[in-house]
Amino acid sequence: MKVCIVDDAHFIRIMLKDIFTSLGHQVIAEFSSASDLIEEIEDLKPDIVTLDITMPDIDGLTATRIIKNILPETNVIIISAISQPDIEKEAKKCGAFEFIRKPFSKLAIEHVLKQIEEEQNSKNGAVR
């Protein structure tokens, strides 16, 4: 799957890129702000976007709404240290596929990717 990583912390982008790459996915772009991603998202057409909640320009929840409006099939994974139940619930309402708390593990990312693949397979199977 094609992945775009958005986080204002450079070391988080590096960690996520290493994880996605090691799991066989292609990181097609990295951004330090959601607005930069949104400018290019129609050209990139990622399968997955990771977003932090707290970023300097557009917060992750607003960015999720915008992304899902432009590309409804894109799976958004929120990865954030802000992990209150109401924010996680709001992330789902905005269209996020899943919410992963920082600090995250490779196993947590892998688990969510398997969920995405299972959902895609069931959608594809239902069409046939």
Side-chain angles (χ1 to χ4, degrees), residues 41-53:
I41 196 157
E42 287 183 280
D43 292 331
L44 294 169
K45 293 182 179 47
D47 301 303
I48 296 172
V49 171
T50 68
L51 292 169
D52 193 358
I53 294 276

Side-chain angles (χ1 to χ4, degrees), residues 3 5 20-21 48 51 54 63 75 79 82 95 101-102 109-111:
V3 181
I5 297 169
F20 280 105
T21 303
I48 296 172
L51 292 169
T54 309
N75 293 288
I79 302 176
I82 299 174
R101 291 182 186 105
K102 288 179 183 175
I109 304 283
E110 190 172 18
H111 178 73

